Amino acid sequence: MKSKGIVVKRILFWVVTLLVLAGILFPLLWIYLTAFKSSNDIFAGTLQRQLIFTPTLENFKRLFVQFPFFRSMGNSLIISISSTVLVMVIALPAAYSFARWNTGGGHILFNTIASRMFPGAVAAIPFFLIYRALHLLDTHIGLILLFMYFNVSFATFLLYGFFRDVPVELEQAAMIDGYGRFAIFRKIVLPLVLPGIATTSVFCLIWSWNEFLYSFLFTRNAAKTITVLISSFWGSIEVQYGTMAAGAAISILPTLIAAWFMQRYIIRGLTFGAVKG
Amino acid sequence: MVEVRLENVTKLYGRKLAIDDISFTCKEGEFFSILGPTGAGKSTILKMIAGIEPITSGKIYFDDLVVNNLLPHERNVSMAFESYNLYSHFNVYENIAFPLRAPKWQLNLSKEEEKKKVTEIADFLGIGKLLDRKPQNLSGGQKQRVSLARALVRKPQVYLLDEPIAHLDAKLKFTTQTLLREFAVNYGSTIIYVTHDYREALALSDNMMVLRKGKIDQLGTPEEIYHAPKIDFVGMLVGEPPMNMVDGSLISREGKTFFKAGDSFEFELLKDTEINARKHAVIKENNSIVRLGVRCEYIKVSDQKMSDNSFQLPVYAVVHEAESSVITFELENSFLHSRVSRGKGYEDCRITEKVWLEFVQENISFFEKTVELSKA
């Protein structure tokens, strides 16, 4: 009886694992296969022709030549990296202050995170009007400011957990050893929350890189990001699946690589901050 | 080095009174211990002197300077924490060198000078071989010695040591204790030392105080604390086994005064002892109630009656140790322990055997009752 139970358990384990894996891998597989197919192969009816085809680079060629792909990618890079750096500049001291001195007695911290509790679309129209008045539409700085608005709260909250895990006694020891507040932050606290900073930065980067709604509404040409460009292949006349897949194949690479390298940190980082209140 | 003086210092945590109007002086170059049970407020006092815990009222002086409003790094103290508080991203060397590198002290040591100082103190404490390790890879005892080394590497105005050897094993504890004493004598340092172990306090201190629930029970030299406790709690905190406490009453008969311990025993008090006893006695329902304290080494045990002041009790337990035996007798609400040195008394008694006891009267203390007795 016992061994039967174990077998059932094992089968169930693999069934669920494979289902989850298929759910994650299928879209990726589709993107990477489609990116290398000619338009004829994309719509082939049989499974055999779906999987076995002559690879071609024509989608990539079209993407690079006919569309401002590299410019959009550059825009995405500039916007996501700048916004992440600025977010950290604000969120680090803010989170430290919340964690160490309970600044605002918890209310400010809650208000910070509350800005993430309504759907992004709610704020879109007022922001649009403000941006039009300030001439910030279709500018890098405009999107950077927007992404900061959304990510500062999230980053502060995540970093808050990391700072809380640094024992205050360590800082007291350093004070007695002869160091002032700023030196302690730099020499003791910062190195200890480095995994947290890495985790938070990666999250902000990925979020900014993938952001679509605001990029779509607030940019036209000059600051058009990669997600917006890819969506434009879904035209009113035809849907350019091949080009779309090629664009996606490239644009998801940075996030995939970041997640791969940081997975150890991210998992540790998330549980690290979360478990101890 | 400075003299540290606390004047009417009080500390409230919210509404909880942690330190209650404390005043004491640790003279320049003195080894001063604060002894007390867990939760007495010992560490709080150290933290207040260090400046990492603000005081609610009162004044702390370093010589003639009030330091109340000075930040920790402006007070020039060093501290070893009970919880080590090592910097986990530094190795042992960097941990110990950290205070030396603080710009505040303007030591401006060259690499060689710094290395010399760090290795000197590390070797002194027997952790010279661990300098490259990270704190995560050290045992509790090793971490504790690193923390101690970090505190001792610099020459501050005063050293604050919070249970710095509590987590060492017995043998290391003894050697480190010897080293600390050597350090204190060599450098004439002002050291304030917190411990819950009376042995450390007695062995190391020039002066000490016993703290209970944020109040000072007794201030004095180790000899005074051990031999002349002013309060029953002090007697019971110091000594192994602790000072025997017997609740009883004073009875006058035919011009003599007897101490009667319930139904267990009674014996006559000599004149001086009686005067002392009367001072502490409390009249309750026509009885003079008093608590008698006597250290185990001042209870003589014999199989024969020794004098008119001897009395008989049945033996409850006998424990033979290397150099002495502890014979235990059961009383109404406590035990009575007697220590008999090897070959110097009746140590081979059997359990339940009725033997003769006698207290050495010069060494009897009397107290008012401040703690409940229990057999636990």
Side-chain angles (χ1 to χ4, degrees), chain A residues 169 174-175 177 179 187 192, chain B residues 73 85 87-89 98 102 105:
Chain A
E169 289 82 11
M175 285 178 92
D177 283 343
Y179 292 85
K187 288 179 195 245
L192 288 174
Chain B
H73 62 274
N85 290 343
Y87 311 120
S88 53
H89 56 299
F98 195 63
W105 317 130

Side-chain angles (χ1 to χ4, degrees), chain B residues 83-339:
Chain B
S83 50
Y84 322 136
N85 290 343
L86 301 180
Y87 311 120
S88 53
H89 56 299
F90 290 162
N91 64 21
V92 170
Y93 180 93
E94 291 164 324
N95 263 284
I96 300 174
F98 195 63
L100 295 174
R101 292 173 183 172
K104 180 81 195 169
W105 317 130
Q106 299 187 332
L107 297 174
N108 299 322
L109 299 179
S110 68
K111 274 255 177 303
E112 292 72 37
E113 288 170 311
E114 180 190 283
K115 195 172 177 192
K116 188 166 163 278
K117 274 186 184 286
V118 172
T119 44
E120 196 179 9
I121 193 73
D123 289 339
F124 183 68
L125 290 170
I127 46 171
K129 287 188 178 138
L130 306 173
L131 291 176
D132 295 330
R133 295 234 203 129
K134 283 278 177 75
Q136 300 89 293
N137 304 323
L138 299 177
S139 72
Q142 289 168 335
K143 279 184 200 165
Q144 183 139 50
R145 279 178 289 160
V146 175
S147 160
L148 187 56
R150 186 177 61 186
L152 299 183
V153 72
R154 209 167 62 79
K155 301 276 164 287
Q157 307 262 46
V158 51
Y159 293 96
L160 306 169
L161 309 179
D162 191 355
E163 306 257 11
I165 60 174
H167 301 285
L168 303 185
D169 60 50
K171 207 171 151 192
L172 256 176
K173 212 177 213 175
F174 186 76
T175 48
T176 313
Q177 199 170 296
T178 318
L179 292 175
L180 269 176
R181 189 66 227 173
E182 189 188 326
F183 182 90
V185 171
N186 284 352
Y187 296 103
S189 345
T190 309
I191 298 178
I192 302 181
Y193 185 96
V194 156
T195 180
H196 68 270
D197 186 338
Y198 77 92
R199 287 185 210 88
E200 291 172 22
L202 294 184
L204 291 167
S205 323
D206 299 315
N207 264 306
M208 61 185 285
M209 74 180 196
V210 176
L211 195 70
R212 171 169 49 144
K213 290 181 184 163
K215 280 189 168 161
I216 298 177
D217 265 355
Q218 190 169 351
L219 265 163
T221 62
E223 290 72 31
E224 287 165 351
I225 300 282
Y226 187 81
H227 292 291
K230 283 188 185 154
I231 296 172
D232 52 358
F233 177 80
V234 176
M236 289 166 77
L237 189 72
V238 175
E240 181 61 46
M243 189 180 236
N244 293 298
M245 293 291 162
V246 185
D247 286 335
S249 48
L250 302 178
I251 291 170
S252 298
R253 214 164 46 212
E254 301 154 12
K256 294 173 180 173
T257 301
F258 296 84
F259 177 84
K260 186 174 187 328
D263 299 329
S264 305
F265 63 86
E266 66 171 50
F267 66 94
E268 192 195 336
L269 295 176
L270 301 179
K271 201 70 209 157
D272 288 349
T273 323
E274 187 207 329
I275 293 168
N276 191 11
R278 294 269 177 218
K279 269 193 257 173
H280 295 277
V282 179
I283 309 291
K284 217 181 200 176
E285 294 165 3
N286 281 335
N287 282 328
S288 284
I289 309 284
V290 76
R291 175 168 282 180
L292 176 151
V294 60
R295 293 223 170 265
C296 60
E297 55 267 39
Y298 301 119
I299 303 177
K300 292 193 261 182
V301 178
S302 172
D303 54 347
Q304 287 154 19
K305 188 171 180 180
M306 290 167 276
S307 74
D308 286 345
N309 289 334
S310 304
F311 53 88
Q312 276 191 302
L313 280 177
V315 174
Y316 180 79
V318 184
V319 176
H320 295 294
E321 292 170 6
E323 284 147 15
S324 61
S325 303
V326 176
I327 306 171
T328 304
F329 305 91
E330 191 179 16
L331 301 180
E332 259 170 59
N333 58 356
S334 64
F335 289 109
L336 200 61
H337 304 282
S338 160
R339 189 183 288 281

Side-chain angles (χ1 to χ4, degrees), chain A residues 35-36 56-65 242 245-247 249-250:
Chain A
F36 292 99
T56 163
L57 288 175
E58 72 180 79
N59 291 326
F60 291 95
K61 215 179 285 169
R62 192 168 340 123
L63 182 69
F64 297 157
V65 177
I250 297 174

Side-chain angles (χ1 to χ4, degrees), chain A residues 249-267:
Chain A
I250 297 174
S251 70
I252 59 176
L253 278 178
T255 27
L256 276 184
I257 293 168
W260 179 265
F261 276 112
M262 302 300 292
Q263 58 177 332
R264 211 167 49 103
Y265 271 137
I266 289 174
I267 291 166

